[in-house]
Amino acid sequence: MAIHPQAGQLASHDILVNLPELMSAYYLKKPRVTTHPDERVSFGTSGHRGSALLSSFNEDHILAIAQAIAEYRLSQNVSGPLYLGKDTHALSEAAFQTTVSVLIANGVRVRTQLNGGYTPTPVISHAVLTHNKAEADVSDGIVITPSHNPPEDGGIKYNSSKGGPADKDITDWVAKRANALLEANLEGVKRLSPDEVDASGLIEPFDFINHYVNDLENVIDMKAIADKKIRIGVDPMGGSGIHYWEPIAKKYGLDITVVNEEVDPTFRFVPRDKDGRIRMDCSSPYSMQGLLKLKDDFDIAVGNDPDYDRHGIVCAGFGLMNPNAYLAVAIEYLSQHRKQWPQDIQFGKTLVSSGMIDRVVAGLGRKLCEVPVGFKWYVEGLYEGTMAFGGEESAGASFLRKDASVWSTDKDGFIMALLAAEILAVTGKDPQSHYDAQVAKYGNPYYKRIDVAATSAQKALLGALDTKDVTQTELAGEAITSVLTNAPGNGAAIGGLKVSTENGWFAARPSGTENVYKIYLESFISEAHLAELESEAKALVDSVLGS
């Protein structure tokens, strides 16, 4: 994909989302679920997402999904409060109110942010887990967010009683029930008016901010950061964590400067991404241009996406770290500085994350657990304390508390951001310097991800591949050492394939939201070898799909 000529620049007014049109579409457009598959409820790796303008995220969707979740939790005897959060996308507020009206009508107690504020994804996970550890009843959560997606998008995801994204069995049940409700013109959906909701007594205001902030010292060495007076710059990117940084700084005595305090659902202050669209992706050097211009004003600067499940780490004198690089550094640091973590505990990565992580974990003599794409695959391990760390190449991760008990089972952009400051405070070197040392020791990886156009039929074929479908024995001049259609860490289907050699690999998997398949590539030899990998990977996938 060619880089848009205005990537990294602020958008002109004419391309900003038309908010009145968007909000009208949320209420007026009706999904045609029997004739248009793209307008049905579909839970991907992070819930149901879409745009009201495209009839893929409208009030009817949320009415049906909320009713399905209410019925599911009843069937599982989940009788505690449901912790409900929302981010700063325009559609999130509308979907939040719709969700409340249905949950309350079903007799669900709902805990929402005191004074009606925003609540990040990891904060909901943390609240569910701390509740279920201390209380007799069982709670769960919902977050209204499309994560880093463009301003016109909306999203909703269900977090189970284990705090993290619900597993596929749960989301399949919810999606099936929601689509049945849509097909029945919402017959069976319970709903209350705003006045009835207010009079119900089932809304329970909750101080998410202090509940989360006061617990941070149990997962991050806040004292070390304060003692070394690490200067931290924060760009909330207009997201749901914007009101958390001041309480964090005040409680722990940290030197934190919030460089942008704007919240605007057009996200007009976020520079355009590589394709020219506004996308609040804190792992993109284009979207992060505002913070990158200030990189030398701070020791560590951090950005987060709207629901705060992603992190972008900026080191003075260098710039934005590659997400894979930071995961490798975080794993190495945590394995050496969390003395209460068991030696046999696992460190998790997705199949499409860098092979540098494999080499670092092996060099530490630790155990690696490689899983398919999707943070839901880490929930059980983090919850049970058998997995110390789970990370994704898309700049999302979480890890255990200092005492090896669970902190969150969803991606946590706060603790990954604060960990970068801890690494600098404790070691005297920033994360990029640590990564440079890893490269010197383990080799320099060249990593790339591309999108290739594909029909729905081709995507279905790719998702159903078997290892025997790959018959060649060499890839980019090296012998193929493994062909995977299931993850070695848990045996789950990856929905595609991964082919590896001694010094390179590629993985191909269909997109859940676009008519493309994604190819991830990495070479530990050279850029030229990476290009060779790309060419042969495309040819291999094409031959398999063609046959």
Side-chain angles (χ1 to χ4, degrees), residues 12 41 45 65 67 97 184 266 271 300 352 356 368 486 497:
S12 56
V41 171
T45 55
I65 292 169
Q67 181 64 40
Q97 299 298 339
T266 67
I300 292 289
V352 299
M356 176 64 87
L368 182 72
N486 292 78
L497 81 160

Side-chain angles (χ1 to χ4, degrees), residues 315-332:
C315 297
F318 174 78
L320 182 66
M321 287 192 72
N322 179 286
N324 276 304
Y326 184 52
L327 294 182
V329 169
I331 288 172
E332 184 169 53

Side-chain angles (χ1 to χ4, degrees), residues 21 30 185 217 256 285 300 323 420 446 448 499 515 517 528:
E21 179 187 17
K30 304 296 180 182
N185 294 316
E217 62 188 352
I256 294 177
I300 292 289
Y446 301 88
K448 187 177 184 180
V499 181
N515 287 325
Y517 67 84

Side-chain angles (χ1 to χ4, degrees), residues 27 44 83 98 123 125 130 143 268 323 330 338 380 382:
Y27 293 105
Y83 289 88
T98 303
V123 175
S125 179
T130 53
V143 190
R268 56 183 172 74
R338 294 297 187 265
E380 189 70 26
L382 290 168

Side-chain angles (χ1 to χ4, degrees), residues 137-173:
D137 57 13
V138 177
S139 76
D140 51 4
I142 292 175
V143 190
I144 312 293
T145 176
S147 191
H148 65 294
N149 281 21
E152 62 270 23
D153 284 9
I156 180 171
K157 61 180 180 178
Y158 177 55
N159 283 25
S160 73
S161 59
K162 292 184 178 179
D167 65 33
K168 189 175 185 298
D169 289 342
I170 297 174
T171 56
D172 283 352
W173 190 98

Side-chain angles (χ1 to χ4, degrees), residues 410-423:
D410 213 329
K411 295 173 286 190
D412 192 327
F414 284 111
I415 63 170
M416 290 300 291
L418 291 166
L419 181 66
E422 180 189 330
I423 290 171

Side-chain angles (χ1 to χ4, degrees), residues 512-534:
T513 57
E514 302 172 272
N515 287 325
V516 299
Y517 67 84
K518 302 174 187 293
I519 295 184
Y520 306 79
L521 311 121
E522 187 172 47
S523 166
F524 274 83
I525 297 176
S526 65
E527 288 279 6
H529 184 246
L530 183 70
E532 191 177 355
L533 269 175
E534 179 179 340

Side-chain angles (χ1 to χ4, degrees), residues 324 349 353-360 445 447 505 522 524:
N324 276 304
K349 61 161 281 195
S353 298
S354 174
M356 176 64 87
I357 296 170
D358 304 57
R359 297 184 180 198
V360 167
Y447 184 95
W505 60 269
E522 187 172 47
F524 274 83

